[in-house]
Amino acid sequence: MPAHGGGLKPAEIALRKLGDATDACRECPLGERATQSVFGEGPVHARLMVVGEQPGDKEDLAGRPFVGPAGRLFDRAVAELGWSRERLYVTNAVKHFKYELRGKRRIHKTPAQREADACHHWLESEIALVEPVALLALGAVAARSLLGRHVAVMSERGR
């Protein structure tokens, strides 16, 4: 990015700076083991912000949200709804990939509440800068991060 911002809006510049800052985040142990942070992406002032739980292996390697197997499922669902992913802001509640090694494979592990809490201020900052009209939580960790309380996904589905 050019030093002067290259014509970017102030919110876009702020989002880029936040994304860069998450790479250095060590507020929980996840940042130590991850390849990089995975910050949100999409248009500033998108009407809908989609919040997943955490990046997976493919996202960790690419540095982009929703690009692995779950991302492909997400893309199909978005297409079936007639939406354009380019109009959505997509992010995760937790910015680093939590995993356990099984041989050479990195297997997804659900982030602990402490890890989600450590990332919460990043998510709040994204919401404040994007100013979406609506938030869509994909999973219990995302829903708890957005609502600030335990969420039983199946019983609260669609709310």
Side-chain angles (χ1 to χ4, degrees), residues 41-43 46 48 50 74 78 83-90:
E41 64 182 29
L48 179 62
V50 179
F74 173 73
V78 166
W83 297 354
S84 169
R85 179 172 170 158
E86 289 74 32
R87 297 185 67 193
L88 306 174
Y89 187 90
V90 294

Side-chain angles (χ1 to χ4, degrees), residues 41-154:
E41 64 182 29
V44 173
H45 306 307
R47 293 181 52 78
L48 179 62
M49 179 182 282
V50 179
V51 181
E53 295 193 346
Q54 73 164 337
D57 183 60
K58 301 295 184 206
E59 289 81 6
D60 176 64
L61 295 172
R64 296 186 57 226
F66 295 76
V67 295
R72 287 190 296 277
L73 178 62
F74 173 73
D75 286 343
R76 284 195 307 273
V78 166
E80 283 183 28
L81 289 168
W83 297 354
S84 169
R85 179 172 170 158
E86 289 74 32
R87 297 185 67 193
L88 306 174
Y89 187 90
V90 294
T91 192
N92 287 295
V94 176
K95 305 304 182 197
H96 291 99
F97 177 39
K98 182 174 184 175
Y99 63 91
E100 68 180 36
L101 284 175
R102 288 199 194 146
K104 293 183 180 184
R105 295 186 60 212
R106 301 185 313 166
I107 305 301
H108 168 274
K109 286 188 69 172
T110 301
Q113 189 55 49
R114 177 188 171 291
E115 294 156 346
D117 289 346
C119 279
H120 188 69
H121 67 97
W122 301 118
L123 180 60
E124 285 182 325
S125 294
E126 283 179 290
I127 293 168
L129 288 166
V130 174
E131 299 177 320
V133 173
L135 299 160
L136 173 62
L138 302 179
V141 172
R144 187 178 201 295
S145 291
L146 292 171
L147 298 174
R149 63 176 174 78
H150 172 77
V151 176
V153 173
M154 292 309 289

